[in-house]
Amino acid sequence: MKNIVLLCAAGMSTSLLVTKMKEAAANEGFECQIAAYALAEASKVVPDADIVLLGPQVRFNQSKIKKDFPDKIVECIEMRDYGTMNGAAVVKFAKTKMGL
């Protein structure tokens, strides 16, 4: 089971996207855990992640997260997909980046 971690400014703005992503994953039979956290919690949650997705509001932290966790996949969610809460597109993006 894959663990997808979303990081945003406070961990709250992505909660709706997480719900949409869980629905999309369930619809396609993709077993995974998906949760959103505040960027400040990265040191606690990133070590267990298979992929880290950054919300647009914290995308400027991508290089720092990659430096702190060089063995992790760290990507930014497309602004369009985030803005439209397109959970299916974000799940597809995550799976592609994980090589699935």
Side-chain angles (χ1 to χ4, degrees), residues 13-99:
S13 61
T14 53
S15 62
L16 179 58
L17 182 58
V18 167
T19 300
K20 299 282 189 179
M21 289 175 68
K22 286 180 177 180
E23 289 172 6
N27 287 341
E28 63 181 70
F30 176 51
E31 291 187 26
C32 61
Q33 287 182 247
I34 308 170
Y37 303 93
L39 186 64
E41 295 182 78
S43 63
K44 294 181 211 165
V45 299
V46 171
D48 295 327
D50 291 297
I51 187 169
V52 178
L53 300 176
L54 302 178
Q57 68 275 44
V58 296
R59 70 183 312 127
F60 62 90
N61 287 288
Q62 184 179 21
S63 59
K64 180 186 182 327
I65 299 292
K66 282 185 172 184
K67 182 180 172 222
D68 292 347
F69 303 96
D71 61 326
K72 297 297 175 183
I73 302 166
V74 181
E75 296 290 340
C76 297
I77 299 169
E78 290 292 325
M79 184 89 68
R80 179 188 66 246
D81 294 335
Y82 189 90
T84 59
M85 293 290 144
N86 189 339
V90 179
V91 168
K92 181 179 179 182
F93 175 72
K95 287 175 71 175
T96 299
K97 293 299 179 179
M98 289 187 288

